[in-house]
């Protein structure tokens, strides 16, 4: 399969009291197998919302999204859940580990949802890969932020998903552990049949991707192929500055 996820004209708004805030405004994006894509942009520009929509976790108000060939905008909730379980790994910005389950159970449960049998050894190996070896019996509440973040990655990749969406997956990590995470994500995309879509504020991390999308005010304002981190910084500072009334409303 070439394109794993494709979004066209995606719009999403949230109601805050009487005010409707447009969070995504006609976003187009596609990600192919073998690609790692980064999304960068200021806080509040809609990156997490876009990631949730692309992954079939949220439904946009308008536009099309095809995820693994399934129209996830029109699909029933159950069908969307099935596509996610079978094909998608998601690293949430706030990790979203199940507090009542052990670290090991958090990892194995998502694989089981996807129909994958993972042994205790598989779970231990996965935790080892993210530098969390021996922590399978710990509870999420006992973990530091960076530890929880690495468990969240192990959970996301436990089912060998076709596409991993990672929302600031290195946000709580030191450079060495951040590189471990980025190496894992990069290797998944290099496998050619899978893809990774990563949101990040770390421009060095963003530069590990094949393509980088810059978001601002709910729009993709720029796309770069294999940019250096310095080019991403320049693009973020200069591209898509908008001073329209509409833009002012959103800032
Ligand atoms: N469930 C929600 N209900 C209401 N407003 C929301 C909801 N989710 C997001 N928003 C609003 O949408 C806007 C974009 O949020 P989003 O989380 O997508 O931004 P972001 O680019 O990921 O920011 P950050 O870099 O801080 O994580 C914000 O103004 C936020 O308040
Ligand atoms: Mg976010």
């Amino acid at each position: 399969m070439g394109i794993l996820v494709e979004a066209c004209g995606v719009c999403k708004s949230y109601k805050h009291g009487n005010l409707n805030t447009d969070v995504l405004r006609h976003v187009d994006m596609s990600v192919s197998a073998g690609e790692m894509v980064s999304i960068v942009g200021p806080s509040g520009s809609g990156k997490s919302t876009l990631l949730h929509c692309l992954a079939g976790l949220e439904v946009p108000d308008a536009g099309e999204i095809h995820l693994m060939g399934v129209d996830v905008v029109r699909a029933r909730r159950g069908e969307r859940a099935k596509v996610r379980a079978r094909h998608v790994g998601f690293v949430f910005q706030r990790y979203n580990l199940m507090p009542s389950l052990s670290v090991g159970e958090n990892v194995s449960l998502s694989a089981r949802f996807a129909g994958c049998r993972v042994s205790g050894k598989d779970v231990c190996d996965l935790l080892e890969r993210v530098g969390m070896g021996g922590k399978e019996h710990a509870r999420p509440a006992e973990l530091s932020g960076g530890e929880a973040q690495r468990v969240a990655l192990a959970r996301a990749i436990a089912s060998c998903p076709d596409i991993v969406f990672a929302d600031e997956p290195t946000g709580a990590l030191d450079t060495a552990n951040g590189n471990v995470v980025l190496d894992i994500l990069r290797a998944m995309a290099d496998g050619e049949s899978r893809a990774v879509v990563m949101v990040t504020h770390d421009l060095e991390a963003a530069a590990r991707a094949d393509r980088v999308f810059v978001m601002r005010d709910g729009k993709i304002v720029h796309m770069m192929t294999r940019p250096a981190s310095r080019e991403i910084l320049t693009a973020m500072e200069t591209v898509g500055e908008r001073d329209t009334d509409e833009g002012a409303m959103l800032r």
Side-chain angles (χ1 to χ4, degrees):
M1 187 183 271
I3 293 176
L4 302 191
V5 64
E6 184 166 33
C8 193
V10 167
C11 298
K12 176 108 185 147
S13 62
Y14 288 114
K15 246 193 155 72
H16 292 127
N18 286 334
L19 196 67
N20 237 11
T21 308
D22 294 328
V23 176
L24 297 179
R25 306 184 316 141
H26 299 281
V27 173
D28 299 327
M29 174 188 252
S30 71
V31 182
S32 296
E35 259 199 316
M36 180 171 175
V37 158
S38 295
I39 303 170
V40 298
S43 179
S45 57
K47 304 179 300 295
S48 293
T49 306
L50 175 60
L51 214 60
H52 289 187
C53 288
L54 292 174
L57 287 163
E58 282 188 51
V59 180
D61 302 330
E64 306 262 332
I65 297 177
H66 286 87
L67 174 62
M68 301 306 297
V70 174
D71 176 347
V72 286
V73 177
R74 287 179 192 80
R76 285 166 188 265
R77 183 190 286 257
E79 209 182 325
R80 260 200 312 278
K82 206 189 282 179
V83 180
R84 285 202 310 267
R86 284 195 185 152
H87 301 288
V88 170
F90 203 102
V91 183
F92 290 90
Q93 187 167 3
R94 296 187 183 119
Y95 324 137
N96 294 13
L97 299 176
M98 302 274 278
S100 58
L101 301 180
S102 70
V103 160
E105 288 164 343
N106 263 284
V107 174
S108 59
L109 193 69
S110 83
R112 236 176 289 148
F113 273 139
C116 298
R117 285 201 175 276
V118 290
S119 66
K121 181 173 183 314
D122 294 334
V123 170
C124 290
D125 289 349
L126 266 167
L127 290 171
E128 195 74 51
R129 276 184 74 191
V130 298
M132 288 294 291
K135 290 276 192 177
E136 58 272 21
H137 299 299
R139 298 276 149 184
E142 296 162 4
L143 305 179
S144 72
E147 288 173 340
Q149 187 156 46
R150 285 178 283 150
V151 173
L153 176 69
R155 178 178 65 174
I157 63 174
S159 59
C160 296
D162 293 299
I163 182 159
V164 170
F165 297 92
D167 199 347
E168 301 191 26
T170 61
L173 298 178
D174 57 278
T175 308
N177 278 306
N179 281 334
V180 167
V181 164
L182 292 170
D183 288 347
I184 289 173
L185 294 173
R186 187 61 257 183
M188 283 195 69
D190 287 341
E192 293 189 1
S193 61
R194 302 200 170 114
V196 172
V197 186
M198 174 175 73
V199 165
T200 184
H201 284 288
D202 176 346
L203 303 188
E204 293 289 337
R208 299 284 300 269
D210 301 298
R211 289 189 297 153
V212 178
F213 292 82
V214 181
M215 274 192 93
R216 183 187 287 271
D217 297 336
K219 281 190 165 187
I220 289 173
V221 291
H222 197 52
M223 192 279 285
M224 290 165 280
T225 303
R226 292 215 169 259
S229 54
R230 185 176 289 273
E231 294 168 71
I232 305 171
L233 179 64
T234 306
M236 283 185 70
E237 285 174 348
T238 58
V239 178
E241 299 273 8
R242 299 171 343 112
D243 282 303
T244 60
D245 290 346
E246 196 189 2
M249 293 258 298
L250 284 158
R251 279 195 281 271

